[in-house]
């Protein structure tokens, strides 16, 4: 994973009439370009975890996720790069009934499988107990010893990795914006901020637990806030407005956003700008955390409902 420390992703300026009108500068940090299948932030969250696993002389990694999880693919790819076996506990026992068919249908699991990940599919009920001692012991009996990475990859080592997203040059920005899932990425951003900067997080899911989760890692900091009005109904929920927004934004800026995280964030930023939340001259840097690999699965969902598809090229 050493290569990840050396990666300097580019900041791309967004040119849109609304930004000109309100005199706001918006750049997007293209962490999505780190790898075609691996969300930038997921690699960063894995970096120090894989170092730790090596230190502990573990030969395998085990983690958890849903059928379209960016974190599952990232763990499979990073594990392979670093010589670990990888095991994925996947939510949804119906997916395990016919693995061949599941892999044909699901690009996320197909890519993870191609990179050597072995799956164990569990019911939604069992998935809720996935971190219990009993369940982990059962998996150790099945697969042998492994290093456990939590769902979504967030722990204090993941936060350390996300402190490396911002560079010296980024200190020119007033606000750093990020999508929020489990809160690990934003915690790293918060801890690496310069004094004059603030972070705004855009939760991709409903609920009030996130602030507490973020505070666990950032006790001393109060240089951040969450904008909770842009989750579009909850995790992986969407409406036509969001899909149209993704397609229009791609046309206007060439930047493809993912429907689960980054599209909701950029939609939120532009909406706040429209509502004059920022003063003239404000410079905003939004982190494109990736998630592009999940679009294939998302489009399958849309196709089945005869709805508009996210156009990728
Ligand atoms: C996982 C993910 C996030 C959220 O990161 P957290 O550290 O869980 O908050 C944001 N964007 C993308 C594309 C992701 O895959």
């Amino acid at each position: 994973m050493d290569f990840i420390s050396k990666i300097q992703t580019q900041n791309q300026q967004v040119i849109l009439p609304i930004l000109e009108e309100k005199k706001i500068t918006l750049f997007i940090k293209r962490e999505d370009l780190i790898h075609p299948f691996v969300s930038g932030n997921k690699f960063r969250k894995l970096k120090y975890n894989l170092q730790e696993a090596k230190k502990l002389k573990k030969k395998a990694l085990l983690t958890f996720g849903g059928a379209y999880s960016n974190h599952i693919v990232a763990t499979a790819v990073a594990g392979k790069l670093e010589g670990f076996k990888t095991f994925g506990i996947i939510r949804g026992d119906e997916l395990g009934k016919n693995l061949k068919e599941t892999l044909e249908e699901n690009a996320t699991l197909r890519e993870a499988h191609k990179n050597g990940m072995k799956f164990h599919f569990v019911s939604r009920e069992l998935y809720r107990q996935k971190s219990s001692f009993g369940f982990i012991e059962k998996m150790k009996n099945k697969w042998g010893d492994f290093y456990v990475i939590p769902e979504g990859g967030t722990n204090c080592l993941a936060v350390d990795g996300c402190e490396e997203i911002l560079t010296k040059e980024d200190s020119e920005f007033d606000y750093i914006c990020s999508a929020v899932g489990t809160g690990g990425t934003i915690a790293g951003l918060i801890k690496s901020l310069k004094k004059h900067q603030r972070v705004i997080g855009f939760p991709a899911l409903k609920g009030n637990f996130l602030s507490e989760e973020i505070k666990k890692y950032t006790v001393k900091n109060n240089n951040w806030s969450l904008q909770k009005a842009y989750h579009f109904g909850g995790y992986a929920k969407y409406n036509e407005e969001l899909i149209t927004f993704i397609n229009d934004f791609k046309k206007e800026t060439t930047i493809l956003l993912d429907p689960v995280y980054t599209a909701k964030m950029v939609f939120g930023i532009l909406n706040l700008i429209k509502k004059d939340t920022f003063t003239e001259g404000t410079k905003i840097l939004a982190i494109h955390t990736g998630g592009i690999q999940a679009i294939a699965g998302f489009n399958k969902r849309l196709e089945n409902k005869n709805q508009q598809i996210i156009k990728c090229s």
Side-chain angles (χ1 to χ4, degrees), residues 51-222:
Q51 273 183 20
E52 179 68 12
K54 274 191 186 163
K55 225 185 282 166
L56 296 171
K57 305 231 175 336
K58 304 280 185 182
K59 301 275 185 289
L61 311 170
L62 175 128
T63 196
F64 319 88
Y68 302 102
S69 163
N70 295 326
H71 169 65
I72 283 289
V73 197
T75 305
V77 173
K80 186 171 181 208
L81 281 171
E82 293 294 306
F84 290 98
K85 284 186 199 163
T86 54
F87 303 122
I89 309 298
I90 311 294
R91 184 176 57 231
D93 47 352
E94 72 282 358
L95 297 165
K97 297 215 170 91
N98 185 341
L99 183 62
K100 191 163 164 273
E101 204 177 284
T102 296
L103 295 180
E104 272 165 23
E105 283 286 310
N106 185 313
T108 301
L109 296 180
R110 188 162 65 237
E111 191 62 22
H113 179 79
K114 225 171 70 191
N115 282 278
M117 182 174 267
K118 290 203 169 62
F119 301 125
H120 181 73
F121 296 92
V122 296
S123 66
R124 277 149 187 86
E125 195 187 329
L126 196 58
Y127 190 80
R128 265 177 246 126
Q129 308 158 28
K130 62 187 178 300
S131 307
S132 70
F133 180 75
F135 182 75
I136 297 289
E137 280 305 295
K138 222 171 96 189
M139 290 302 107
K140 286 200 168 155
N141 287 336
K142 178 182 164 101
W143 279 325
D145 193 31
F146 44 68
Y147 178 85
V148 179
I149 301 171
E151 182 178 35
T154 290
N155 56 18
C156 55
L157 293 173
V159 174
D160 290 348
C162 291
E163 287 183 45
E164 296 172 357
I165 294 174
L166 295 177
T167 66
K168 245 199 261 149
E169 289 72 41
D170 298 333
S171 60
E172 67 165 308
F173 293 97
D174 307 300
Y175 288 91
I176 310 296
C177 295
S178 174
V180 180
T182 59
T185 304
I186 193 175
L189 292 169
I190 291 166
K191 290 179 79 175
S192 65
L193 272 198
K194 296 278 179 288
K195 275 210 178 65
H196 63 281
Q197 297 180 305
R198 288 188 67 79
V199 173
I200 307 174
F202 294 81
L205 50 153
K206 264 199 244 183
N208 286 319
F209 56 95
L210 265 174
S211 300
E212 291 312 310
E213 200 54 34
I214 297 167
K215 278 180 203 155
K216 257 193 352 209
Y217 301 106
T218 61
V219 246
K220 295 190 301 267
N221 305 276
N222 55 5

Side-chain angles (χ1 to χ4, degrees), residues 39 41-42 45 70 154 179-185 258 261 289-291:
S39 291
N41 70 332
K42 296 299 186 290
K45 289 165 86 169
N70 295 326
T154 290
V180 180
T182 59
T185 304
D258 83 294
Y261 294 102
T289 37

